[in-house]
Amino acid sequence: EAQVTQNPRYLITVTGKKLTVTCSQNMNHEYMSWYRQDPGLGLRQIYYSMNVEVTDKGDVPEGYKVSRKEKRNFPLILESPSPNQTSLYFCASRGNLNTEAFFGQGTRLTVV
Amino acid sequence: RKEVEQDPGPFNVPEGATVAFNCTYSNSASQSFFWYRQDCRKEPKLLMSVYSSGNEDGRFTAQLNRASQYISLLIRDSKLSDSATYLCVVISNNQAGTALIFGKGTTLSVSS
């Protein structure tokens, strides 16, 4: 089954404790992205990747890092999480520039 | 002007009603258009792509008006299960490359 898989689904952590949210897709897609969704603000892109070893900042990259060492994986790293990074995070992939995106099930992160 | 704008609603309709959502976009060079459905705290899922000629999928009809830069979604014979948030999505070229731009969503509540 074609899918985008994120882990963990839920995470509560403390300020400053590094964490990684994993994302994997099995559709051989070149394009992958991370979004955060907050009430009243909609989906905002954090980082995106157009291929292996090619990543770039989206609209709200501060406080986040990503890597794309393999085509299928695109982890999101929070080196020093802060409470304002409490949010619902989605990973997405798409096959080419003009096609629809497929989303992971989301990760609900709470930073206390 | 925001890149993609939608009326947030909520639209409260009885079962069987016909309801229409509109979405406007600011970039006239936008290339691809979609409607996504998002249930509470879950991932967005593709409802339908939007083509210049208009397209229909069962009770759902999507239309694109490039001259006026808006997209519409019509839902006929509303069901309780149609209750969700509907996201308008546009693929545009901007400073960050070719990006998926999301509207903030329109909330639909169908009641019996």
Side-chain angles (χ1 to χ4, degrees):
Chain A
E1 180 189 356
Q3 59 186 4
V4 180
T5 304
Q6 287 178 237
N7 279 297
R9 295 285 311 282
Y10 303 91
L11 179 60
I12 301 174
T13 190
V14 296
T15 298
K17 186 176 181 181
K18 181 180 178 180
L19 67 92
T20 299
V21 184
T22 63
C23 174
S24 180
Q25 51 94 3
N26 63 359
M27 295 169 279
N28 202 35
H29 284 171
E30 291 187 349
Y31 302 93
M32 298 185 74
S33 306
W34 275 102
Y35 297 87
R36 61 178 289 173
Q37 188 173 34
D38 303 287
L41 297 176
L43 280 154
R44 295 180 293 167
Q45 187 171 258
I46 303 170
Y47 267 94
Y48 65 98
S49 170
M50 298 178 75
N51 213 327
V52 174
E53 301 292 1
V54 180
T55 63
D56 212 340
K57 296 177 180 179
D59 299 317
V60 288
E62 294 78 20
Y64 305 95
K65 286 174 55 178
V66 292
S67 70
R68 189 91 181 274
K69 293 185 171 61
E70 307 163 279
K71 199 172 189 179
R72 63 182 292 127
N73 295 323
F74 190 44
L76 179 70
I77 303 154
L78 284 73
E79 294 271 3
S80 183
S82 62
N84 65 11
Q85 292 178 298
T86 292
S87 187
L88 177 58
Y89 291 86
F90 290 106
C91 178
S93 74
R94 50 188 170 127
N96 64 54
L97 286 172
N98 288 310
T99 57
E100 70 272 23
F102 296 84
F103 285 84
Q105 292 177 294
T107 296
R108 183 161 292 279
L109 172 65
T110 302
V111 184
V112 298
Chain B
R1 182 180 175 184
K2 295 175 185 170
E3 290 199 68
V4 177
E5 289 197 74
Q6 298 180 248
D7 181 345
F11 284 62
N12 298 305
V13 303
E15 276 186 291
T18 296
V19 60
F21 307 137
N22 286 331
C23 165
T24 58
Y25 60 94
S26 60
N27 186 342
S28 59
S30 297
Q31 301 150 334
S32 301
F33 309 88
F34 309 95
W35 283 102
Y36 276 72
R37 171 194 169 123
Q38 186 175 24
D39 293 292
C40 187
R41 300 189 176 194
K42 295 195 172 181
E43 74 273 26
K45 292 185 178 179
L46 180 68
L47 179 66
M48 56 198 308
S49 302
V50 186
Y51 304 118
S52 296
S53 55
N55 47 304
E56 187 174 311
D57 183 2
R59 298 181 293 108
F60 299 84
T61 300
Q63 293 200 311
L64 167 65
N65 185 318
R66 285 190 184 272
S68 301
Q69 294 180 212
Y70 79 79
I71 307 148
S72 64
L73 177 68
L74 182 76
I75 305 175
R76 290 180 298 277
D77 188 23
S78 299
K79 312 290 185 192
L80 293 174
S81 57
D82 293 334
S83 297
T85 297
Y86 292 83
L87 303 172
C88 173
V89 183
V90 174
I91 294 182
S92 292
N93 288 321
N94 57 27
Q95 289 178 335
T98 300
L100 281 171
I101 312 295
F102 290 84
K104 292 182 181 178
T106 299
T107 300
L108 172 65
S109 177
V110 181
S111 56
S112 57

